[in-house]
């Protein structure tokens, strides 16, 4: 799903660079890919973003209330000490399965790689 969003955003940026309109781009994408394309409103929003000079196709970090974890023990650990990192929570919780930890490690590597690529 995330890969599809990124693909379509890159395509939107390409058509924006070709001076196509958001409506025309949406129509072309719908002809090629069917119903799985972003809505015309989403296309307009991205074109507006590109026009403002922001051509980053990745989601912006959102502010607001953090999501609650579904794992009750992990949630309890977070509520006990909200300043601890996810890694500390994972190390402190015996109920977290290995898959979750592996996903966290992959995310850490991706985050470090992304942060490193912006340090030019």
């Amino acid at each position: 799903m995330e890969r599809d969003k990124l693909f379509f955003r890159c395509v939107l940026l390409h058509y924006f660079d070709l001076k196509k309109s958001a409506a025309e781009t949406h129509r072309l994408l719908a002809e090629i890919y069917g119903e799985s394309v972003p809505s015309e409103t989403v296309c307009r929003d991205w074109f507006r973003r590109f026009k403002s000079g922001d051509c980053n196709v990745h989601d912006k970090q959102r502010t607001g209330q953090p999501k609650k974890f579904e794992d009750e023990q992990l949630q309890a650990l977070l509520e006990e000490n909200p300043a601890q990192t996810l890694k500390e929570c994972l190390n402190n919780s015996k109920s977290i399965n290995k898959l979750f930890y592996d996903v966290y490690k992959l995310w850490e590597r991706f985050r470090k790689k992304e942060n490193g690529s912006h340090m030019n």
Side-chain angles (χ1 to χ4, degrees):
M1 171 95 169
E2 187 63 35
R3 201 172 77 200
D4 291 342
K5 283 175 31 176
L6 188 57
F7 168 77
F8 281 119
R9 290 172 186 175
C10 291
V11 172
L12 290 173
L13 180 58
H14 174 72
Y15 280 107
F16 174 81
D17 287 341
L18 292 175
K19 309 288 188 231
K20 302 288 185 188
S21 70
E24 183 179 7
T25 299
H26 177 263
R27 197 170 34 259
L28 289 168
L29 291 176
E31 286 176 18
I32 297 168
Y33 297 101
E35 295 180 16
S36 64
V37 300
S39 69
E40 188 173 334
T41 302
V42 169
C43 292
R44 272 194 230 114
D45 291 342
W46 279 98
F47 271 56
R48 198 173 301 120
R49 185 170 166 175
F50 299 150
K51 189 173 184 175
S52 76
D54 182 359
C55 294
N56 185 345
V57 293
H58 296 282
D59 287 324
K60 291 182 179 180
Q61 290 222 342
R62 296 182 181 186
T63 59
Q65 184 177 7
K67 292 185 178 181
K68 294 237 178 211
F69 285 95
E70 290 182 20
D71 185 299
E72 291 174 4
Q73 286 182 311
L74 181 56
Q75 183 63 39
L77 285 170
L78 283 171
E79 289 171 359
E80 185 179 303
N81 181 2
Q84 67 186 327
T85 66
L86 180 56
K87 186 174 183 178
E88 290 169 331
C89 284
L90 292 172
N91 289 336
N92 292 333
S93 176
K94 302 289 187 231
S95 68
I96 302 299
N97 66 35
K98 184 172 177 353
L99 178 62
F100 188 80
Y101 187 77
D102 290 343
V103 168
Y104 167 75
K105 289 305 225 182
L106 287 170
W107 176 81
E108 272 293 306
R109 268 191 270 151
F110 175 78
R111 189 174 63 90
K112 286 178 184 175
K113 181 179 174 186
E114 285 292 306
N115 287 341
S117 68
H118 297 295
M119 299 177 126
N120 296 338

